[in-house]
Amino acid sequence: MHQRTVPNRSILRREPDPSDSFIDLNRLLTILVRRARLIGLSVALAVALGVTYLVFATPVYTSMTQILLDEDLSRYAEESEPAPQSSQQVDMRIASAAEILKSGRLALRVVDDLKLADNETIINPPQSPVAIAKGWVKSLTSFGSAGPQASEEALANGRREKAAAVLQQALTVERVSRSAVLAVSFRSTDPQLAAAVTKRYAEAFFEDQLSSNFTATEQASSWLQERLTDIQARAQEAALEVEQYRAENGLTTARGELMSEQQLADLNSQLILAQADAASASARYAQFKAIVEQGPDKAIDNATIPAQGADASGLQELRNRYNSVVKRAQDITRNFGADHPQAIALRAEKEDLAGQIYRELQQLTASYRNEYDVARSRETSLRESIRKVAGNNADANRSSVRLRELEQKATALKALSESYLSRFEQASQKQSFPIAKARVISDAGVPVSPSSPSKTMVLGLSLVLGLMAGGALTFVQEMRERAFRLENDVRSILGLKPLGYLPLVGGASKKRKPATIGAKAVKTEPPSGAEDDDVIPLERMTRVVLDAPRSAFTETLRNAKLAAETMLHGRQNRVIGVTSALPGEGKSTVATNFAALLAVSGKRTLLIDADVRRPGLSAMMKPAPQTGLVEVLRGELPWTQAVKTDRRSQLTILPIALHPGETRRHDANELMSSNAMRELVDEARQHFDYVVVDLTPLGPVVDAKAFEPLADGFLFVVEWGRTSANFVRDLLAAEHRIEGKTLGVILNKTDMAALSRYSDAGGAEQYRELYEQYYTDSMKGMTG
């Protein structure tokens, strides 16, 4: 038994780097550069789709008007100032106005006013391809299920409802920031139609406001009319009841009634009047006193309280002059500025008139104070007289009390009747109120450019979506990346020594075209002067080390040779198996070139094709060998008669006989572990320095496992960018004896042009061009 376990796994295995869990910017940049073509293609496709959409999309125009909801517009036509509203009430009022603008009733009014039920742009607008496809599907599904034919009136009403629905769908009503302004916009493929509809919407909104005000006041007038008729009838009945009570109780001065009773009645009537006068005087005095106590600044705002007699006309005249001066001052200030001489003069005149009004109010307050004192004195006097007269006739006093109650009831009904009459007149006047509490602050114009589709937005969105799609595809591609790309992958995943990259070799043996070795082309013609019998006719890819000794391909195999000499130090005769995980990874080409390199370096080398099931190495020999390994193991002939020698490299090859129609052997594993194979290897050790064995792939069959006890080491070949790293890791982990003897891993069929794109910044793969230049310069030096 000549075997040696190479304990290299524990040396090369490294623990995972904790920093691998974080984002590696260098790795991310490398991925982006590597997938730049995919990302660029995604972006170009997305932009092309965006441009196609812009070319075929129907342009839509938007016209907009702005409506200001202003409660102050009607303050001059109303008798009282409107009560201040809270922010919640204002928001509710604006939201209600927006909903009115978006209502179906207003849409129907616009349709009727503009006759849009017969407008083809509204009824049959241009459709997108998706909408057309949906229409086709709908027509196909509804084929043969048509109901009874509708009448002309129903069809017209349906077109009207459809036009209103289209208007509601294309209309947008938004509040401008936190203001009381509503922005009303309408979208259409016809710019003229968009402007007309938007303008008509604003007009219809104003008309709706006036119409709703008229309807409300009309209903209020009708109700007030009914209540007024009832109250007037009750007031008349109360007045008649007073007169009837007087007549029944003899409380009149006619027809011989007692003077005491007549006097008591007169005094009671005078007392009632005196009480009313006193109350009226007290109210006027208190009201004017409160105004005067507030000071001259607020006297102007409260000077509208009606006075009596000539004082009223004087105060009213001062008030009118004051309002005229205020209005003129505002006009001058708005037109010429506050510093205009006329504005200053008007402000001075306004202050003078304000002082006069305040002094007039003071005089009126003093006058009403005197009237109040006189009324109080008269009331007191009448009460004294009544007390004197009341002592004479108790029945007259009781009758007077009842009479006063009836008179108060009649007076209250009369006052209520007057109040309802005033409210009825106000409601009647408001039926024709001409001012809406809104106005247009921005007219709807005809749009000159389409609002959609936006070229900038579509192209920008296409660019973003293209980048996102490219990023997603890049992510998917990177997630699917499970093969070996770099030497560092071999170290980190397998814990084995990477021996380098073998470039992808191409070309046909018959035409002898240059074989591509990395980025260079090397001619593979045999040296001049060599005879045809001197060379075993193998395919060019098995002779790369001979035809291109200064290349990346040959240098990688030199590294494998150095690894074998280093790790198998102390042994003169070495058996090295060459295997792979899967078929088609190029192990036979690697084994042949590696053996040829050993041979040309002066080592006695035997290359054995041990892949009995699929002898790829022997199949590349022309003519096909008639005897070989199987016959030797069977004992039919000695191995010395089955081998062939390459005169050029002095490489000895033990092939497998190829016979047409021969069935492949399935007992190859028994041959590999047989005593004959062991004896062959032992005898080969005595005659050769190196025995290179081209074994079967490790994954599908067990032949390489059976040969493992006879090997000193293994070269493991992995196809670059194809074989799954997890598969190789699990395969070697299951065969720990082969893993322990593995000298290193060779990445075969490497695309040297794409290799640098998988390397991080500063990685060794980034300097492959310098390596190639060095090989070229070295070759020139040799030829020079």
Side-chain angles (χ1 to χ4, degrees), residues 291-340:
I291 294 173
V292 173
E293 288 179 351
Q294 291 178 0
D297 294 336
K298 297 185 178 179
I300 304 303
D301 298 334
N302 299 299
T304 58
I305 299 174
Q308 296 178 350
D311 297 332
S313 61
L315 184 61
Q316 185 63 33
E317 181 181 357
L318 291 174
R319 176 66 180 178
N320 292 338
R321 291 174 57 191
Y322 179 82
N323 289 337
S324 178
V325 170
V326 170
K327 184 176 181 181
R328 290 170 54 198
Q330 291 177 350
D331 294 339
I332 295 300
T333 302
R334 182 169 58 253
N335 295 326
F336 303 101
D339 296 333
H340 193 271

Side-chain angles (χ1 to χ4, degrees), residues 285-567:
Y285 169 66
Q287 194 169 14
F288 276 83
K289 182 181 178 182
I291 294 173
V292 173
E293 288 179 351
Q294 291 178 0
D297 294 336
K298 297 185 178 179
I300 304 303
D301 298 334
N302 299 299
T304 58
I305 299 174
Q308 296 178 350
D311 297 332
S313 61
L315 184 61
Q316 185 63 33
E317 181 181 357
L318 291 174
R319 176 66 180 178
N320 292 338
R321 291 174 57 191
Y322 179 82
N323 289 337
S324 178
V325 170
V326 170
K327 184 176 181 181
R328 290 170 54 198
Q330 291 177 350
D331 294 339
I332 295 300
T333 302
R334 182 169 58 253
N335 295 326
F336 303 101
D339 296 333
H340 193 271
Q342 190 175 358
I344 297 173
L346 289 173
R347 285 198 297 272
E349 184 179 354
K350 182 181 71 173
E351 294 177 358
D352 181 58
L353 289 173
Q356 293 181 26
I357 293 173
Y358 182 68
R359 289 191 293 274
E360 187 69 20
L361 289 173
Q362 288 179 326
Q363 293 175 3
L364 288 174
T365 302
S367 175
Y368 289 142
R369 172 60 185 271
N370 294 332
E371 290 181 7
Y372 173 66
D373 293 339
V374 171
R376 288 292 302 273
S377 299
R378 184 169 178 270
E379 182 184 356
T380 302
S381 177
L382 288 173
R383 289 185 183 277
E384 291 294 333
S385 299
I386 289 174
R387 279 196 294 269
K388 293 178 181 180
V389 176
N392 298 327
N393 194 342
D395 294 336
N397 289 336
R398 287 193 294 271
S399 299
S400 298
V401 171
R402 175 60 179 166
L403 181 61
R404 285 195 298 270
E405 290 179 356
L406 294 175
E407 288 177 344
Q408 288 176 355
K409 178 180 178 181
T411 303
L413 288 173
K414 182 180 180 181
L416 185 60
S417 175
E418 293 176 353
S419 174
Y420 268 81
L421 180 60
S422 176
R423 293 172 61 185
F424 172 73
E425 292 297 333
Q426 291 178 2
S428 299
Q429 293 297 323
K430 285 186 177 180
Q431 287 185 8
S432 58
F433 192 65
I435 303 176
K437 296 181 180 181
R439 60 190 176 94
V440 174
I441 62 174
S442 178
D443 293 327
V446 179
V448 296
S449 60
S451 58
S452 67
S454 175
K455 296 180 180 179
T456 303
M457 181 177 296
V458 170
L459 293 179
L461 183 61
S462 299
L463 180 62
V464 172
L465 292 178
L467 290 174
M468 293 175 62
L473 292 176
T474 298
F475 176 77
V476 172
Q477 291 292 335
E478 289 298 321
M479 290 300 295
R480 294 178 58 189
E481 187 65 52
R482 294 293 184 267
F484 290 98
R485 295 289 185 179
L486 302 173
E487 292 181 343
N488 189 51
D489 297 339
V490 176
R491 297 189 188 95
S492 60
I493 297 175
L494 302 180
L496 298 175
K497 180 179 180 180
L499 299 178
Y501 305 97
L502 290 181
L504 181 65
V505 180
S509 59
K510 292 182 179 180
K511 297 183 180 180
R512 291 193 176 272
K513 293 183 179 179
T516 303
I517 311 298
K520 305 296 179 182
V522 181
K523 294 183 178 180
T524 57
E525 295 291 343
S528 59
E531 299 294 337
D532 292 340
D533 296 338
D534 295 339
V535 181
I536 298 176
L538 296 174
E539 292 186 359
R540 289 201 312 272
M541 64 179 62
T542 62
R543 310 176 65 86
V544 175
V545 294
L546 303 178
D547 298 333
R550 295 294 184 268
S551 64
F553 189 99
T554 306
E555 201 63 31
T556 297
L557 293 181
R558 287 195 181 99
N559 190 30
K561 174 178 175 294
L562 178 62
E565 293 175 349
T566 303
M567 302 179 72

Side-chain angles (χ1 to χ4, degrees), residues 1-6 568 571 575 678 685 707-713 737 741:
M1 290 288 296
H2 300 281
Q3 61 182 6
R4 178 182 179 88
T5 300
V6 184
L568 299 178
R571 299 201 59 84
V575 178
R678 187 184 308 275
R685 286 179 184 272
F707 184 79
E708 176 270 325
L710 305 179
D712 297 323
R737 293 181 62 85
K741 291 183 178 181

